[in-house]
Amino acid sequence: DVQLQASGGGLVQSGGSLRLSCVVSGNIFDDYAIGWFRQAPGKEREGVSCIHSNFSTLYRDSVKGRFTVSNDKAKNTVYLQMNRVEPEGTGVYSCAWRWGYGVSLIQSAYDFWGQGTLVTVSS
């Protein structure tokens, strides 16, 4: 199994920055991807970004140029740097793990999920 723990959420003003962390433990293997997902109040969960163990990345269009995902393998931690945040970015952010090749923002592609961290963007 794989365990994930997201942290770093909080209250941030629109236009500000916040960095989320996802600590991964367990049977990670060498070929995997970590995805970031968010669920806004009253809405479906959506994929935000993904990074593969080969460092390839994927972003949803609305966050391109503002969010950056990175993977510190030495610390088994994946980060989501969020800059110029917008009120529409409010929600619970969760990280998830999938085995295999490629990056994806499709929830069903992921095998293990961590608890989320709440991000509130004030306007």
Side-chain angles (χ1 to χ4, degrees):
D1 286 5
V2 176
Q3 295 80 43
L4 305 102
Q5 180 63 56
S7 63
L11 177 64
V12 59
Q13 286 189 331
S14 180
S17 297
L18 201 62
R19 188 178 78 162
L20 305 183
S21 300
C22 175
V23 178
V24 187
S25 60
N27 298 322
I28 301 173
F29 301 115
D30 293 329
D31 195 19
Y32 65 91
I34 302 293
W36 282 100
F37 296 81
R38 69 185 176 197
Q39 186 166 22
K43 294 187 177 181
E44 296 290 320
R45 187 163 56 187
E46 61 185 15
V48 176
S49 181
C50 173
I51 185 166
H52 194 265
S53 51
N54 65 10
F55 298 106
S56 59
T57 59
L58 179 66
Y59 299 91
R60 68 180 297 110
D61 287 346
S62 62
V63 307
K64 286 180 180 178
R66 299 186 297 116
F67 289 13
T68 303
V69 63
S70 59
N71 186 355
D72 186 338
K73 290 187 175 182
K75 296 182 178 179
N76 285 337
T77 301
V78 171
Y79 301 98
L80 183 66
Q81 177 68 44
M82 305 188 296
N83 297 329
R84 290 182 283 130
V85 295
E86 301 171 345
E88 293 76 19
T90 292
V92 175
Y93 284 69
S94 303
C95 51
W97 180 96
R98 65 183 293 265
W99 178 84
Y101 179 77
V103 289
S104 174
L105 296 181
I106 300 173
Q107 297 180 54
S108 59
Y110 288 80
D111 304 295
F112 296 97
W113 291 77
Q115 295 291 330
T117 185
L118 177 63
V119 173
T120 303
V121 182
S122 63
S123 57

